[in-house]
Amino acid sequence: MTVDPLDHGNPELPADERTELLLARMTLAEKIGQMCMFVGEPAEVNGDNVDEMTSYRLGVADQAELVRAGRAGAFLKVPGAKEAAHLQSFTRESRLRIPLLIATDAIHGHGMDVEAATIFPSPIGLAASFDSELVERVAACTARELRATGFHWTFSPNVDVVRDPRWGRTGESFGEDPFLVAELGVAMVRGYQGRTLGNASVLACAKHLVAGGCPENGLNGAPAEVSERTLREAYLPPFERAVRAGVSTLMPAHNEVNGVPCHASRELLNDLLRESWGFTGFVVSDWNDIPRLHSVHRVAENEREASYLAVRAGIDMQMHGGDFFEHVSELVREGKLSETRIDEAVRPILRAKFALGLFDPADAETKLPEASLLTAEHRELAREASRKSLVLLKNRDNLLPLGAARSLLVTGPNAHDQSLLGDWSRRQPEANVVTILQGLRALAAPHVNIVHSPIGSITAITDEEIAAAVRAAEDCDVLIAAVGENSLRDNPERSSGENVDRASLDLPGRQLELLQALAEAGKPLVVLLVSGAPICSEWLVEHANALVQAWEPGIEGGTALAEVLFGLQNPSGKLPITFPRSTGQLKTYAAQRPSSFHRGRFRFSTHEPLFPFGHGLSYTTFEYRSLRSKDSLAIGEPLQLELELENTGVRAGEEIVLIFLLDSYASVTRPAQELVAFERVQLAAGERRTIRVELASNVFSLLDAKFERVCEPGEFKLVAGLGKLSKNVVLVA
Ligand code: GLC
């Protein structure tokens, strides 16, 4: 039986109204069906390779049956545009023809489910650009490629604040600083969703609420033992900012926080998220995390009780499959869950589908996927993002940019590998990716000879490979070694990424041995670090002549790196996360308390990090002068500050101006420094500019001992240029 299109099919009506009309027509089973997400990889494709849930991979016939019966609201892991359209077609055979949401983890491009897309630098690399506008454009581009292939929802941005880089997922975060993470998280939400949801936008998903970035021992999903203060000062603010920016969906964290699993925390998912912050979207569980309330956290004696705890806490959609539908249906029949709660869950799901235009005549999805993916414009954006993400950590004797070199050795496991793409990206067609070797070959001047000595794998470097590289080094002027990590999802040997955490921040495998052997050749050594997280080696800092943190720079990473090495581009990135000197130095991050290092000293080391948050060199020099502002300020008043910035070098460059605030004295301890503003400034050689920044009054506020947000009169210190300039300001009552 088809539905009368007038009831909810009228696109002239507001989404809210259409939602109510539709909701009123739905049976309880159809409502609960909207709360169910399934995996789209059909069993025929994956054989009996089932995950921990028997219904992980349904056959195509089973999927069709579910959709026709109105038992599915969304799918993830759908292997392409054709499969997405095929699943969607079954909805037209259902009673109410409610479209499916097709979701994926497009966290730095549409990299997981389609053959060929634009893969940008991993989020940690985007963070190193300190460029919110760039991040918004990257997300908007990704949204276009998603909608062009019939996808509507990305589980991004990850707004976890990361304070333990042993966590294998550090690369998918925006780093350690709550302000930077929040700014870029909001930018990404805006890019994905647009100013209002429509045919060219996708639903964003702020994840993982909360404190997944500081799991015990850095192990993904491990408990987060976090003080109330750290939760409120560091880990929660980026989520609140994303909610207030209108993020459509939210995903709880795998982990427990102080004994309560996030997936069962009504305090988190209802009281804080909805009642305090005013969230009006919907909450989707993380992968299998509802049954894990029973099987892992053991706060539910069975999966039915787990479903009850999760829905009661505030989870509106389950990822994925299993018996969730049956459990919730029984719980409602027994009165343990009310139909009102079901309506609360289903309403935002339907509203999102209306707002995305999914009920209305063919829209962006009719575009041929090939016409919208990896266009020249998208590739140029990927190149821009890669360029801005690169961080020049060290450049002894201004070795870079490479000038007179006539022959370059290029070696290392990441020299000619798609490890550039990072996690949450499938391998891309070779023709789409510019590896480091290819980038160097493409841009090297005719007289420069590029010698490649292959190294096969991050974790299995052989004696022969090292010997061959050392031999090749003898005839080269400069040695370039691309080392680090490999988090490519389909690489069984991957050394980091989701559920691949690190017990050590050192270079994995025999990479250091390779570098030490190369250093013996007595030639200048340029080390390129391809990694989603800090690699910490004091040897590297001492012996490499030049060191570039490339992160996971995406499909144009080879081009961007070659441009920097040959001087066609001036590096501008800065570290969004502290590089500890060693694993033993953890935790170390910029916003620690003054007492963190006032007394204790490591017996055989120093407490100073290898490279601090905000570090990044340029091929030019910048001078900061005359930080100016009012000397005193009334509580509630914004602060205007100015400073002079001059490019005192011989070539153009972009400087990221970071403004920190220090609260000199307060009723509770305060971070030694807090980032409160950042701005990229492009200056020609010799150019001088006045930089103006306005700080909102709330930057001077704090959470007092009772967690009340207050402004305390007293002295504050503004710091710019990583300490080069400072200025005191007194806040008066
Ligand atoms: C994983 C991740 C989450 C991701 C989801 C779907 O468990 O924790 O970030 O979005 O599964 O792939």
Side-chain angles (χ1 to χ4, degrees):
M1 166 193 154
T2 56
V3 170
D4 176 349
L6 292 182
D7 282 354
H8 63 269
N10 176 357
E12 303 308 315
L13 291 177
D16 283 347
E17 213 172 307
R18 298 173 80 182
T19 296
E20 294 312 320
L21 283 167
L22 177 53
L23 197 61
R25 305 169 62 85
M26 294 171 74
T27 64
L28 176 64
E30 288 165 333
K31 291 177 183 176
I32 297 171
Q34 289 299 305
M35 300 169 71
C36 299
M37 179 190 282
F38 295 89
V39 164
E41 285 166 354
E44 290 85 342
V45 170
N46 296 283
D48 59 358
N49 170 24
V50 290
D51 190 288
E52 58 210 42
M53 289 194 56
T54 51
S55 71
Y56 177 12
R57 287 189 168 89
L58 300 163
V60 174
D62 306 329
Q63 292 175 2
E65 197 34 55
L66 276 171
V67 177
R68 286 193 194 98
R71 289 273 306 270
F75 277 82
L76 82 160
K77 289 186 182 294
V78 174
K82 187 164 55 68
E83 292 78 2
H86 192 212
L87 282 168
Q88 208 64 270
S89 68
F90 300 132
T91 61
R92 290 189 274 280
E93 299 164 41
S94 69
R95 188 176 80 86
L96 291 171
R97 290 182 292 163
I98 301 173
L100 295 166
L101 285 171
I102 306 294
T104 185
D105 293 274
I107 74 165
H108 57 109
H110 190 6
M112 289 293 283
D113 298 309
V114 294
E115 280 307 312
T118 307
I119 312 301
F120 296 97
S122 296
I124 193 78
L126 295 175
S129 75
F130 284 80
D131 189 337
S132 307
E133 187 271 337
L134 169 75
V135 168
E136 184 169 343
R137 283 188 286 131
V138 165
C141 178
T142 302
R144 287 194 297 275
E145 296 199 357
L146 285 162
R147 289 305 298 267
T149 48
F151 287 70
H152 317 104
W153 180 17
T154 177
F155 304 126
S156 171
N158 176 323
V159 288
D160 288 315
V161 169
V162 177
R163 295 272 165 90
D164 189 334
R166 291 176 294 176
W167 190 42
R169 305 183 68 173
T170 299
E172 64 176 88
S173 80
F174 290 125
E176 72 178 45
D177 183 84
F179 177 75
L180 177 63
V181 171
E183 288 290 304
L184 299 184
V186 166
M188 209 161 227
V189 167
R190 290 207 176 110
Y192 288 136
Q193 299 188 168
R195 297 300 169 190
T196 53
L197 288 180
N199 292 349
S201 47
V202 296
L203 305 181
C205 180
K207 70 184 187 182
H208 310 80
L209 186 64
V210 68
C214 67
E216 198 173 69
N217 297 324
L219 294 172
N220 192 36
E225 295 294 329
V226 197
S227 74
E228 184 69 20
R229 180 163 297 280
T230 302
L231 270 178
R232 291 167 177 252
E233 285 183 356
Y235 297 121
L236 288 170
F239 288 93
E240 181 175 2
R241 287 282 310 281
V243 167
R244 296 190 188 284
V247 70
S248 298
T249 70
L250 185 127
M251 186 186 289
H254 294 310
N255 50 275
E256 63 176 85
V257 174
N258 305 333
V260 180
C262 295
H263 277 72
S265 171
R266 184 168 173 78
E267 182 189 354
L268 196 59
L269 302 180
N270 182 70
D271 304 351
L272 181 67
L273 183 60
R274 289 187 165 93
E275 291 179 12
S276 300
W277 295 350
F279 178 64
T280 57
F282 63 94
V283 177
V284 60
S285 81
D286 201 340
W287 182 272
N288 287 344
D289 276 315
I290 292 180
R292 285 181 187 146
L293 292 176
H294 162 62
S295 60
V296 175
H297 293 294
R298 309 182 67 74
V299 294
E301 290 188 14
N302 52 53
E303 290 191 4
R304 196 182 93 120
E305 187 184 354
S307 300
Y308 166 68
L309 292 178
V311 175
R312 187 190 63 171
I315 290 181
D316 305 308
M317 185 183 281
Q318 199 245 172
M319 180 194 297
H320 61 89
D323 299 325
F324 180 75
F325 177 88
E326 289 72 15
H327 295 154
V328 175
S329 304
E330 287 163 23
L331 288 161
V332 174
R333 277 200 296 277
E334 293 166 13
K336 286 203 74 175
L337 285 173
S338 70
E339 185 151 0
T340 306
R341 172 64 191 105
I342 302 304
D343 289 350
E344 283 170 0
V346 175
R347 192 168 278 118
I349 296 169
L350 297 177
R351 187 165 54 228
K353 293 183 177 184
F354 280 116
L356 288 170
L358 301 192
F359 282 88
D360 303 320
D363 48 35
E365 284 154 345
T366 57
K367 238 186 275 176
L368 281 176
E370 300 76 67
S372 313
L373 272 67
L374 195 50
T375 61
E377 177 202 0
H378 293 183
R379 183 176 282 278
E380 178 49 40
L381 180 57
R383 199 173 301 136
E384 177 191 353
S386 296
R387 285 173 186 147
K388 291 181 171 179
S389 70
L390 304 179
V391 183
L392 180 58
L393 295 175
K394 177 186 177 187
N395 190 19
R396 185 191 296 153
D397 306 332
N398 292 322
L399 170 68
L400 297 180
L402 296 172
R406 304 190 67 77
S407 63
L408 301 177
L409 171 69
V410 180
T411 188
N414 287 326
H416 188 46
D417 192 290
Q418 291 205 13
S419 52
L420 296 180
L421 302 180
D423 196 0
W424 300 101
S425 171
R426 65 196 294 177
R427 204 170 282 279
Q428 298 294 304
E430 294 298 329
N432 291 0
V433 181
V434 183
T435 67
I436 293 171
L437 175 66
Q438 290 167 329
L440 289 166
R441 284 200 162 130
L443 292 182
H447 68 276
V448 174
N449 179 30
I450 305 278
V451 176
H452 178 219
S453 187
I455 303 283
S457 144
I458 285 270
T459 51
I461 297 177
T462 65
D463 292 341
E464 293 71 26
E465 286 174 325
I466 294 176
V470 169
R471 277 196 306 276
E474 287 162 16
D475 303 327
C476 292
D477 303 325
V478 177
L479 315 181
I480 297 172
V483 295
E485 299 271 8
N486 186 320
S487 64
L488 257 184
R489 188 144 280 247
D490 57 6
N491 171 6
E493 295 298 307
R494 71 188 195 141
S495 60
S496 71
E498 186 193 19
N499 297 325
V500 184
D501 307 302
R502 297 189 293 162
S504 159
L505 300 177
D506 297 336
L507 278 169
R510 299 178 65 192
Q511 296 183 93
L512 188 58
E513 196 181 326
L514 166 69
L515 296 176
Q516 289 167 336
L518 289 171
E520 291 297 312
K523 306 286 178 66
L525 176 62
V526 178
V527 177
L528 309 179
L529 292 172
V530 175
S531 69
I535 297 282
C536 303
S537 156
E538 294 182 286
W539 183 91
L540 259 187
V541 176
E542 201 175 319
H543 294 88
N545 297 77
L547 194 52
V548 179
Q549 178 61 33
W551 310 110
E552 293 155 334
I555 56 170
E556 281 291 319
T559 306
L561 278 160
E563 288 174 339
V564 163
L565 294 187
F566 289 131
L568 304 178
Q569 289 293 331
N570 186 354
S572 58
K574 291 193 182 300
L575 294 182
I577 191 166
T578 302
F579 275 40
R581 193 165 289 278
S582 67
T583 312
Q585 205 179 43
L586 292 179
K587 287 192 181 97
T588 181
Y589 52 93
Q592 284 179 274
R593 269 23 195 201
S595 62
S596 294
F597 306 112
H598 89 297
R599 187 175 173 82
R601 287 294 178 271
F602 292 114
R603 178 65 182 81
F604 299 106
S605 180
T606 161
H607 70 277
E608 293 296 328
L610 209 49
F611 296 108
F613 174 89
H615 173 76
L617 304 177
S618 170
Y619 292 154
T620 187
T621 49
F622 295 98
E623 193 159 323
Y624 286 73
R625 291 192 199 90
S626 142
L627 178 57
R628 305 183 296 277
S629 76
K630 291 171 73 172
D631 292 333
S632 66
L633 197 64
I635 288 178
E637 195 186 339
L639 177 70
Q640 318 288 341
L641 64 92
E642 291 186 349
L643 62 86
E644 302 303 315
L645 182 67
E646 181 174 354
N647 178 343
T648 50
V650 295
R651 61 175 292 165
E654 286 198 84
E655 171 70 344
I656 297 168
V657 176
L658 302 175
I659 305 290
F660 293 91
L661 185 69
L662 288 63
D663 189 341
S664 301
Y665 298 93
S667 61
V668 291
T669 64
R670 307 286 297 128
Q673 59 176 6
E674 281 187 291
L675 183 68
V676 291
F678 56 85
E679 184 172 335
R680 287 182 70 95
V681 182
Q682 167 82 36
L683 292 176
E687 183 182 359
R688 176 175 174 168
R689 192 174 310 160
T690 300
I691 310 301
R692 291 183 180 82
V693 175
E694 174 165 303
L695 298 180
S697 59
N698 66 354
V699 301
F700 296 96
S701 69
L702 58 81
L703 292 171
D704 66 12
K706 296 189 179 65
F707 297 114
E708 297 292 330
R709 182 153 293 279
V710 298
C711 269
E712 297 176 349
E715 184 186 85
F716 290 80
K717 191 176 188 180
L718 291 162
V719 177
L722 288 187
K724 296 187 185 80
L725 275 185
S726 66
K727 163 95 176 53
N728 287 348
V729 177
V730 176
L731 195 63
V732 295

